[in-house]
Amino acid sequence: RRPDYVRLLLVDDAETRALYPFAFRFEVAFRLRKGALDNNLFVTNTDPRPLPYACGLHPAFRWPLAGSVAEHAILFEKPESPYVPIIGPGGTSDGRKRVLLTMTPV
């Protein structure tokens, strides 16, 4: 941990395996840069079986930003897909997808 960086770690244990019966190591790193927030995910399969997983990133932003009344937009550096996998019983996906949100070009 530093003032501009944090790396969080989750390793499977009896509690996680009761809900998700696989061995894993999951790390999330956040770094603040001028005008940006970097977020990196690291998933390691420590199980002898294939590891089904999906990382649902749900960032939150104060809106309007800092109480501003000016118009705001979140811009991505490349086109993003509005489709997400449908997660079924057991926490896995059969390949079907659904629309998560509607994106409007700016």
Side-chain angles (χ1 to χ4, degrees):
R1 176 182 353 183
R2 297 188 307 259
D4 65 336
Y5 176 84
V6 66
R7 190 167 183 147
L8 307 170
L9 170 65
L10 175 64
V11 178
D12 68 282
D13 60 18
E15 188 176 354
T16 65
R17 285 188 302 274
L19 299 170
Y20 181 71
F22 299 94
F24 66 90
R25 178 183 177 93
F26 181 58
E27 298 174 75
V28 181
F30 294 95
R31 173 170 284 130
L32 286 172
R33 294 184 298 117
K34 185 175 180 175
L37 172 65
D38 295 334
N39 180 212
N40 292 290
L41 305 176
F42 306 90
V43 180
T44 305
N45 182 2
T46 58
D47 201 287
R49 302 168 292 164
L51 181 71
Y53 76 95
C55 296
L57 297 176
H58 308 281
F61 300 96
R62 180 177 173 172
W63 208 262
L65 298 175
S68 170
V69 295
E71 287 190 25
H72 289 77
I74 297 175
L75 305 176
F76 297 95
E77 63 183 280
K78 61 183 180 182
E80 296 289 335
S81 171
Y83 298 98
V84 296
I86 296 172
I87 306 301
T92 59
S93 173
D94 63 7
R96 293 179 299 143
K97 295 186 178 189
R98 66 181 175 89
V99 174
L100 179 64
L101 53 92
T102 302
M103 297 185 179
T104 305
V106 235

